[in-house]
Amino acid sequence: MTTIATRLRPYQSYVYGYPHKTAYRPLGADRPLLSELWAAEPKDALSLYAHIPFCEYRCGFCNLFTRVGAPEDLTTRYLDALERQAGAARAALGDGPVRFAAAAFGGGTPTFLTAGELERLCDIMESVMGAELPAIPLSVETSPGTATPDRLAVLAQRGATRVSIGVQSFVDAEARAAVRPQRRGEVEAALEAIRAARIPVLNIDLIYGIEGQTEATWRTSLNAALAWRPEELYLYPLYVRPLTGLGRLGADADADWDEQRLRLYAAGRDQLLANGYEQRSMRMFRRIDAPAAAPDDYACQTDGMIGLGCGARSYTSGLHYSFDYAVETREVRGIIDAYTRTTDFTRAEVGRRIDGDEARRRHLLQSLLRAEGMAVAAYRTRFGGEPADHYPAELAEFTESGWLDPDSGPELLRLTPAGLAYSDALGPRLFSPAVRAAMAAYEPR
């Protein structure tokens, strides 16, 4: 019997947020005031995100909104604009109680900023936005070249509970194949500096599916990472996307590459499970004895998010919004320059409306892709119906393919190990027709 699993390729789309940003469009004359968007929104468990769109170099696989370097006073002008945006965002939240339950600095590479600039970024989050950084989980992304003791000291002193470092491979030849100019010695020095800073949670990102990578070299990277006993490890499949360095080289997916990535994924998963880690999602593994960094009652399925910076997204129940998005160098630079010149941040510029169907799809998708699964009762309470009634075809396909655990019971939808492995095929199956059409019509730039 042919199932959907045998018809679908396993690596279709990394679903880190829904709807995807390529489904966003300029809001034009309908640009709503932020104060109107947030007027009726719950504000007792918000997430706060700051986007820093600068890196030392662009990796061959990267399609994030970032630019290489920051000439002249660009980082200063960028933080000036971010502070203006923060003032507008905080004013839009109104005079009533506002509580941030979690915060993160991403990018790009936030630690591209100097130690003094990181101090200023934290000041903006606390003094302008009102976030109590030492009292909430604060995650910061870094890179081997920028994880320096002075920067890490600032983050530790300001309450960072987690540092995530993109290593991707401890094998120098694989780093070069991924167009990532780094050496293992630099990586090890950065990891030593992070551990010395005593930030509670260290996460290491690794990538599988690099050209020339074998199970033996993959285990080399896994063993090198495990030597640092990181509290978390993320294992990412390599993707080749339009306008990236690897995309320009003509690299493309085929069945052999799919098979390689599935094989390496299974090897990595099994090795981590055998070394005291538990799987939280297809990508995320956490050390079983790792201490909880801090209470975190933010729920990505339901709670709102304030995003600051020109690549950040903000979420309300009725609209997801951001600024323009691009990958190509000239386009990115133009958007950043326009952001630094902006003085009025009181309206949403680019986004996508979220109706009832999209909210249901997002809740189901973001819950189901977690290893713990989705409590049906929570879905029923929020949406007044059963997921099987709302999405019978999709859930039937998942069951037929062996992706849903038949032993989890009627009140829990949970993926099987095969379902977790196929998360990047399963997730896109839950995209709405309208979002699919918008993504298909998007022209990469």
Side-chain angles (χ1 to χ4, degrees):
M1 179 176 64
T2 301
T3 69
I4 187 175
T6 61
R7 299 193 305 269
L8 286 180
R9 302 187 68 172
Y11 300 103
Q12 296 189 28
S13 177
Y14 171 23
V15 185
Y16 60 89
Y18 180 79
H20 191 272
K21 214 171 182 182
T22 54
Y24 289 17
R25 294 294 184 269
L27 298 171
D30 295 329
R31 293 179 307 138
L33 287 166
L34 301 188
S35 56
E36 295 174 352
L37 286 176
W38 287 98
E41 295 290 313
K43 305 178 185 71
D44 58 339
L46 297 175
S47 177
L48 180 61
Y49 177 76
H51 179 254
I52 307 300
F54 306 110
C55 289
E56 318 101 279
Y57 49 79
R58 182 182 280 276
C59 301
F61 52 83
C62 179
N63 73 334
L64 298 178
F65 182 89
T66 188
R67 64 162 289 165
V68 176
E72 299 174 347
D73 62 344
L74 181 56
T75 55
T76 297
R77 290 187 286 114
Y78 186 84
L79 289 175
D80 289 344
L82 192 143
E83 186 166 4
R84 293 194 297 272
Q85 185 189 4
R90 183 59 187 86
L93 295 176
D95 297 328
V98 174
R99 174 178 169 270
F100 292 100
F105 302 159
T109 308
T111 49
F112 180 91
L113 299 178
T114 66
E117 289 170 333
L118 286 171
E119 287 273 17
R120 184 182 177 193
L121 178 61
C122 292
D123 286 343
I124 293 170
M125 299 299 103
E126 292 184 335
S127 300
V128 181
M129 292 304 303
E132 298 181 55
L133 295 184
I136 62 176
L138 170 59
S139 178
V140 183
E141 296 176 8
T142 191
S143 67
T146 63
T148 57
D150 59 335
R151 293 175 170 103
L152 294 167
V154 168
L155 297 176
Q157 192 274 328
R158 299 304 291 261
T161 55
R162 178 180 183 270
V163 168
S164 178
I165 182 168
V167 173
Q168 319 315 351
S169 177
F170 284 84
V171 179
D172 289 349
E174 291 178 2
R176 290 194 298 271
V179 194
R180 185 176 174 84
Q182 70 182 28
R183 294 188 179 275
R184 180 166 175 174
E186 180 184 42
V187 171
E188 300 282 0
L191 289 167
E192 184 175 357
I194 293 170
R195 280 310 197 198
R198 298 186 181 278
I199 294 171
V201 173
L202 163 65
N203 173 71
I204 297 176
D205 289 345
L206 297 176
I207 284 181
Y208 54 92
I210 300 170
E211 184 179 0
Q213 191 175 49
T214 66
E215 286 193 45
T217 62
W218 178 227
R219 292 189 187 280
T220 296
S221 284
L222 289 164
N223 287 331
L226 287 170
W228 292 96
R229 285 189 53 77
E231 285 70 25
E232 294 177 3
L233 274 158
Y234 272 69
L235 307 184
Y236 289 94
L238 180 65
Y239 274 91
V240 174
R241 302 176 176 96
L243 302 182
T244 63
L246 291 178
R248 292 189 182 95
L249 291 174
D252 199 2
D254 58 25
D256 289 341
W257 191 28
D258 286 346
E259 192 278 332
Q260 180 209 22
R261 285 180 288 180
L262 283 173
R263 185 177 67 252
L264 294 177
Y265 161 79
R269 175 199 62 199
D270 293 348
Q271 183 167 348
L272 295 187
L273 294 179
N275 280 273
Y277 287 76
E278 60 180 350
Q279 188 170 15
R280 298 290 187 89
S281 69
M282 174 188 169
R283 290 166 171 75
M284 180 187 179
F285 296 80
R286 199 167 205 277
R287 214 177 71 212
I288 291 173
D289 63 344
D296 182 358
D297 56 353
Y298 173 76
C300 64
Q301 302 94 329
T302 57
D303 294 328
M305 182 165 79
I306 294 287
L308 303 175
C310 61
R313 302 201 278 187
S314 296
Y315 301 147
T316 69
S317 59
L319 180 73
H320 292 186
Y321 62 93
S322 182
F323 295 93
D324 207 356
Y325 167 72
V327 175
E328 198 275 326
T329 298
R330 183 174 57 183
E331 296 282 351
V332 170
R333 290 180 176 181
I335 294 170
I336 293 174
D337 288 344
Y339 175 82
T340 63
R341 295 191 297 268
T342 300
T343 57
D344 182 1
F345 288 100
T346 60
R347 293 181 181 271
E349 300 291 335
V350 176
R352 186 156 193 94
R353 303 282 180 183
I354 305 298
D355 60 16
D357 176 58
E358 298 292 13
R360 291 193 299 268
R361 289 178 183 275
R362 182 170 184 263
H363 185 107
L364 178 58
L365 187 155
Q366 292 189 300
S367 301
L368 192 57
L369 295 186
R370 298 164 63 109
E372 65 191 38
M374 187 191 78
V376 175
Y379 181 97
R380 185 186 302 123
T381 298
R382 184 179 179 194
F383 299 113
E386 302 294 322
D389 293 335
H390 292 151
Y391 306 107
E394 292 89 340
L395 293 178
E397 288 176 342
F398 300 164
T399 299
E400 175 192 346
S401 299
W403 291 347
L404 287 180
D405 182 358
D407 299 323
S408 62
E411 288 300 306
L412 180 66
L413 287 178
R414 184 173 59 201
L415 296 181
T416 61
L420 283 173
Y422 270 74
S423 291
D424 285 3
L426 183 153
R429 293 293 294 168
L430 292 170
F431 293 1
S432 71
V435 164
R436 286 175 182 274
M439 293 175 65
Y442 176 79
E443 296 185 6
R445 62 187 185 88

